[in-house]
Each structure stands twice: as structure tokens, then as C-alpha cells.
Amino acid sequence: MTGDDRAARPPRRLSGLWGLVRLGLATLCVGIATGLAVLLLVWIVHSVEHLVWGNAEGPFLDGLALPSPWWLPIVSLSAAGVIAAVGWYVLRRFGRRISSVEEGVAGKRMPALETLADTVIQVTSVGLGASIGKEVAPRELSAMAGSKLVGWFRIDARWSMILVASAAGAGLAAVYNVPLAGALFAIEILLARFSAGAAVVALSVSAIATVVARPLVADDSLYHVAPVAVTPSLLVAAVLVGPLMGWGATSFSAVTARLSRRRPTGWKLLIVLPLTFAAVGVLGAFFPLILGNGRALATAGFDLAQPASLLLALAVMKYVATSVSLGSGAIGGTLQPSVAIGAALGAAAATGWAFIWPGADGTALAIVAAGAFLAANMRAPFTAIALIIEFTGTGFTLLLPIFLAVAGSLAASRLTTGGGLRRFAPIDPGRE
């Protein structure tokens, strides 16, 4: 670690009572800073949605059959493409290099102004309807804020890594009200090792950030689903659907990563990104459920609100729209798009399964499939399970079928990639 990466003065080792006090104060400050960062980004998203789509959040979030007027997604996505292309072109041409969350955790410097601008462009694009996940932005901005604070507190390298990872996980926790999943994200994915101290810090930062963000992020689950039940039919369906989700998610991860590595740069970005976003807007004018980060499509899957054939088509369109958006130069995540694709596929599968073995709850199978797809895409089973449980508010009811599906999903993914359960691509290929 160089002096440019952390504070100029050498950090002090955390030992004794004063060391614990400093760590506690740093944890508190990082949690508050993360919550404030999330409040800013959520406020921007809500403001953009209100300005463009009106009082009701926007057709791609409400799940309306068609937007009104019909051409609004075309205009909105075209504007998003121009704004994002110009913004990211200026940042990449004249700004300092923006470090990824993983690099920030490793100690690399995260420039404040460039990171802030990058995250604002991301959430503005999503608010305008871009088919990308918005979860990269709060993790990125939170990690940057955390990296600055650990420098001020002169925390040593080990605890600095833990605090920055915890901040990134807390960004995810606060924006979706998923404190457990946020802490697990920090430990399982960013730190990739468990310790009691890291768990305490990660859980504390996630809890604090979630409370601070409460004025704009409701104390409720992201999706409201009907009560579900576990039946023998559902358990067998979970075993069968798991590998299918694993193969689909592995393909999705590979395609998005490959396209992201070949994304246009320089003046090409100013042409390719607006044209791609406009094309997605044209498709979204007829199929608005593919727009946004995926919440609308996931809701339609969990509610069984669309015919199976349409859900299959929407899953394919969401797959393509997200992949080409990231490949065109956009920065964003694949977490919520993965949930959406998995939920749509699971709901469609439930319709077919009902002819083979009636009795499986369709909503339950959609939730199980979404968890399996997400786990294979993230290569992080425990984080994915916590996410899908907290997203849907189902508690431990579906834990067994989710476990079965996730196990099958990861096994299929391993066979597909021909290796262990390692990540062959970053969790958010758009930042690569």
C-alpha cells in the first residue's frame, strides 16, 4: 500500500482500549456516511422518476401494460443515452481513473469527485429507464466515503480493508433495506474470508447505514408477495429448476462480462451508447417491463401477473437489453436484472410444472428460481439466499427449496465453466 492510497501519516495498529474506541468511532462514522451517500443517490433516482414518469414512479416500476404516452420510453432512453455517453466520455477523457469497489477494498485510491459523478450518472440512467442495475452506484460511493474515513482515523491495513468492504456492503444494504445480505456481501464476496471481528463491523455498518437511509428507503421488503407454502411438488420442482437457472445465469455472466470488456471507448462511446439506449427504449415502448433495474419484471414474475409465454419472452429481452447496455459502455450492475430474469423464468416454469405435478405454489417457485439464478450469477450462495429472502420478506419458509435450487444451480455452473466455484468475471462486469 502506498502513501497515495491511504493517509500520509502511517496508521497505528489497533490495540488496547484506545484502539477499540477508534475502531468503534470509525465504524459509526462509516455507517453514517454510507447512509447519507445512499440517501443522496435514492433522492436523485426518485427525483428523476418523478420528473420524467410522473407521480407514480414510472411505468417500468408500476408494471403498467403500456406507458402513456407510448413514445415516452423512446425519448427518455434516448436522453439517458446522450447524458450518460457525454458524462462518461468527459470523466474518462479528463478525470482521474475511477477505481472499482474491489480495488478500493484492496487499498487503491478512489477519487472523490470522479466517483461521485460516476455514481450520479449511473442512477440517473436507471431513473430514466436504462436496463441496468443501480446497486453498483451505492456500493461504489459508500466504499469511496469509507476509504476516506479510514484514512482520517489512521486505521491499519487489515481493519481498513474490513471497513471499506463493510461500507460497500452497507451501500447495498441501505438502498434495498437488506442489512443481513449487505453484511454477507462484504464478508463473502469482497473479503472472501470470515472472522468474528469482520462480521461485527460489517453487521454494524450495515445496520447503521440502513437506519440513516430510512427517510427515503422504507422499512419494508422490496417485493410484496402472497403467502407461500412448501409442498413435495415444490421441492422436486426446486431440484429440477436449479440447474436450469445455473446454466442460464452462467451464460448471462459470461456474455455481460465479455461485452463489457469490449465496450466502446473515446468518440465511439458517444455514438454506440445513445444508439443502444434508444433501441432499448423502442423495445420498452412495447414491453415496458424490461426497463429499469428489473424490479417491474420481477414483480410480474412473483405475482404471476403475465402469461407464461410472455414471461419467457420478457426474460430473454431483459437478458439481451442488460447485456447490450453494459456492452455499449454503460456502468451498472446485474443483481436486480438477475432477480428479474430468474423470477420470470421461474413463474413460466411453474405454469408448465402444474401440468406435471400440481401443488407447487407458483410464486414460491418464482422466488426459488430467482434465488438460484442470482446465486450462480454472483458466485455467492449465502449472499444470494439472504438477498432473495430479505427482498421478498418470506423469512425461513422457503429456505429448504431455495437451498436445493441454489445447490443445483452452482453445480450446473461449475460443470459449465469446467472449474471450481470461482468467479470467472467480476460481479459487476460493467465496471471492469
Side-chain angles (χ1 to χ4, degrees):
M1 187 185 308
T2 65
D4 186 51
D5 295 330
R6 295 293 183 219
R9 293 178 295 172
R12 300 172 181 171
R13 291 185 61 81
L14 291 175
S15 59
L17 180 59
W18 173 235
L20 291 176
V21 170
R22 278 197 298 130
L23 178 60
L25 289 174
T27 299
L28 175 63
C29 291
V30 168
I32 293 173
T34 296
L36 293 175
V38 169
L39 277 176
L40 171 64
L41 297 178
V42 171
W43 177 79
I44 292 172
V45 171
H46 288 178
S47 298
V48 171
E49 289 173 349
H50 177 80
L51 177 65
V52 176
W53 306 99
N55 294 324
E57 285 192 282
F60 59 87
L61 291 181
D62 298 332
L64 300 178
L66 289 172
S68 180
W70 68 268
W71 46 260
L72 185 56
I74 302 175
V75 174
S76 178
L77 266 292
S78 298
V82 173
I83 293 170
V86 172
W88 277 319
Y89 174 82
V90 171
L91 273 179
R92 295 167 190 173
R93 178 70 174 81
F94 302 104
R96 293 167 290 181
R97 181 183 179 276
I98 301 172
S99 301
S100 68
V101 170
E102 290 80 4
E103 290 173 332
V105 171
K108 192 170 182 63
R109 187 173 183 273
M110 302 184 74
L113 290 178
E114 287 85 351
T115 301
L116 175 61
D118 179 59
T119 57
V120 169
I121 295 171
Q122 288 182 48
V123 296
T124 300
S125 299
V126 175
L128 289 169
S131 182
I132 53 177
K134 69 178 181 181
E135 68 278 353
V136 172
R139 294 203 309 259
E140 194 175 272
L141 189 60
S142 300
M144 183 275 292
S147 68
K148 304 301 182 186
L149 286 171
V150 297
W152 295 343
F153 280 95
R154 298 169 60 192
I155 304 295
D156 65 34
R158 174 174 175 263
W159 287 105
S160 292
M161 180 180 294
I162 291 172
L163 279 165
V164 175
S166 298
L172 173 64
V175 79
Y176 289 128
N177 189 37
V178 288
L180 176 59
L184 284 173
F185 177 87
I187 295 169
E188 185 180 15
I189 296 177
L190 297 179
L191 296 174
R193 61 177 180 269
F194 176 83
S195 71
V200 170
V201 171
L203 288 167
S204 299
V205 175
S206 284
I208 294 168
T210 302
V211 171
V212 172
R214 189 66 72 220
L216 291 180
V217 181
D219 183 15
D220 199 2
S221 59
L222 184 64
Y223 301 102
H224 299 95
V225 301
V228 294
V230 177
T231 63
S233 176
L234 176 63
L235 293 176
V236 174
V239 172
L240 297 176
V241 82
L244 298 177
M245 295 302 106
W247 289 321
T250 300
S251 168
F252 183 55
S253 297
V255 169
T256 52
R258 187 176 299 113
L259 290 177
S260 295
R261 285 193 293 268
R262 299 176 181 176
R263 67 187 181 198
T265 57
W267 62 267
K268 294 180 181 179
L269 177 69
L270 297 173
I271 298 175
V272 176
L273 184 57
L275 288 177
T276 302
F277 273 30
V280 173
V282 171
L283 188 61
F286 300 96
F287 302 98
L289 290 179
I290 70 166
L291 299 178
N293 68 345
R295 178 180 167 188
L297 180 54
T299 299
F302 295 147
D303 293 346
L304 310 176
Q306 302 292 337
S309 57
L310 179 58
L311 286 171
L312 283 173
L314 289 169
V316 173
M317 285 187 278
K318 186 64 177 177
Y319 181 118
V320 173
T322 301
S323 300
V324 299
S325 295
L326 292 174
S328 68
I331 302 298
T334 58
L335 190 156
Q336 276 293 340
S338 294
V339 174
I341 295 170
L345 292 176
T351 301
W353 184 247
F355 291 101
I356 299 173
W357 188 350
D361 188 300
T363 295
L365 188 54
I367 294 172
V368 168
F373 196 100
L374 182 61
N377 182 58
M378 295 178 71
R379 298 296 191 275
F382 300 110
T383 301
I385 291 170
L387 277 169
I388 203 65
I389 288 175
E390 289 187 293
F391 277 161
T392 59
T394 53
F396 296 115
T397 303
L398 296 178
L399 203 56
L400 179 56
I402 290 175
F403 276 178
L404 292 172
V406 167
S409 175
L410 294 176
S413 178
R414 176 178 178 177
L415 290 173
T416 302
T417 57
L421 295 179
R422 57 180 177 83
R423 290 196 298 275
F424 59 80
I427 182 174
D428 296 307
R431 169 52 65 206
E432 189 176 68

